[in-house]
Amino acid sequence: MKPEPLRALIFDFDGTLADTESAHRAAFNDAFAEAGLDWYWDEPLYTQLLEVCGGKERIRHYWARERGGIQGIDARALADTVQRIHDLKTAYYARLVHDGAVQLRPGVLHLIHSALDARLRLAIATTTSPINIAVVLRSAIGPDWARIFQVVEDASTASRKKPHPQGYLQALQRLGVRAAECLAFEDSANGLQAAIDAGLPTVVTPNAFTTRHDFTGALHVLSDLQGTTVADLRDWHATAPALNRHPRFERRPCPCPTVPLSRST
């Protein structure tokens, strides 16, 4: 049977399109300090916390498991406090981006432009907030970034966090293409699982925080996208094994995993 043609590319954002995690960590720590908390996430702790999906979920998880006492807090007050911390963090992150602390990963910009020249459709499927995407891509690409990525699924549109495939499934639906006509790009095990469960062959480019993840099932694992061409993508896509979707994921939310954490010093 003749393979499906490659029609679209769907990218994860944090850690895949851009090196964002170090800036996110710094912004979290700045937010904690401004909020009057003695919390500090060093690199080993933050690497573990990245197993938890979503920034607010990460704060809540750390508070509950490492700091205790969350059970005695009114649910509304807890949600308001987590939201305030996250809002502070988002503001600090935007400042870091403005100051040049976040860059696109090697090869990303060239591949984006090559894909556009080849008339491939581009999309983003991520668990981060829309403002985080906008501040980085506006800085790195310019105001036309929103026209380059025809579909963006983020924390505001896909409430079920990776490894749930909701973001990818919605991106496919909005693009109007089948999973067999696409490639996904990820940097983490959770992201890879989400893409695979949406039926997407996936190229993985780990970053410093995810290099030890298990990437079994990836189509290719590369250090970055430097030197990768559209011709390479077409060749890889043509030889990708067929993947089956898992429709059970479309009927239930994805709980974030419980991750045992060591105490931060």
Side-chain angles (χ1 to χ4, degrees), residues 13-257:
F13 184 73
D14 284 320
T16 301
L17 280 178
D19 266 324
T20 58
E21 296 300 359
S22 291
H24 279 304
R25 185 179 74 86
F28 274 117
N29 287 329
D30 287 339
F32 300 152
E34 183 169 337
L37 300 169
D38 64 346
W39 301 359
Y40 181 79
W41 292 355
D42 60 18
E43 283 197 14
L45 175 58
Y46 189 66
T47 299
Q48 294 177 31
L49 283 167
L50 285 175
E51 296 295 326
V52 179
C53 316
K56 285 182 283 189
E57 291 83 357
R58 204 167 294 142
I59 293 168
R60 186 187 293 264
H61 176 90
Y62 174 78
W63 193 349
R65 291 188 59 83
E66 294 300 296
R67 293 292 172 159
I70 198 171
Q71 294 84 358
I73 302 174
D74 175 76
R76 179 62 180 271
L78 175 63
D80 288 347
T81 301
V82 169
Q83 185 64 57
R84 175 173 174 265
I85 295 170
H86 195 263
D87 288 345
L88 289 171
K89 178 261 173 181
T90 298
Y92 276 113
Y93 180 75
R95 291 177 208 171
L96 287 167
V97 173
H98 183 266
D99 291 341
V102 175
Q103 306 292 329
L104 295 184
R105 291 194 63 187
V108 163
L109 190 58
H110 183 268
L111 185 59
I112 286 172
H113 287 305
S114 297
L116 290 173
D117 290 342
R119 298 188 178 182
L120 297 179
R121 305 187 70 188
L122 303 182
I124 292 172
T126 179
T127 59
T128 199
S129 63
I131 190 171
N132 286 344
I133 300 168
V135 294
V136 172
L137 294 186
R138 190 182 301 120
S139 174
I141 297 176
D144 285 343
W145 77 266
R147 283 187 284 182
I148 290 172
F149 292 97
Q150 299 174 23
V151 169
V152 177
E153 291 291 334
D154 54 42
S156 70
T157 62
S159 60
R160 298 174 180 179
K161 308 293 186 179
K162 296 174 183 179
H164 195 286
Q166 182 187 22
Y168 280 113
L169 293 172
Q170 291 180 181
L172 288 168
Q173 183 177 34
R174 290 176 60 196
L175 285 168
V177 298
R178 296 186 297 275
E181 298 173 313
C182 300
L183 286 179
F185 295 82
E186 275 288 351
D187 72 302
S188 70
N190 276 344
L192 173 61
Q193 190 61 56
I196 287 175
D197 284 339
L200 289 160
T202 306
V203 176
V204 175
T205 54
N207 59 67
F209 291 95
T210 63
T211 187
R212 295 187 179 182
H213 286 196
D214 181 1
F215 297 121
T216 301
L219 181 61
H220 279 280
V221 180
L222 310 170
S223 59
D224 55 47
L225 293 174
Q226 189 74 47
T228 300
T229 67
V230 171
D232 292 329
L233 300 184
R234 292 193 193 281
D235 287 344
W236 300 341
H237 177 261
T239 60
L243 297 174
N244 295 318
R245 285 189 184 181
H246 295 269
R248 68 183 184 278
F249 285 113
E250 300 181 63
R251 297 196 296 269
R252 67 183 186 189
C254 169
C256 284

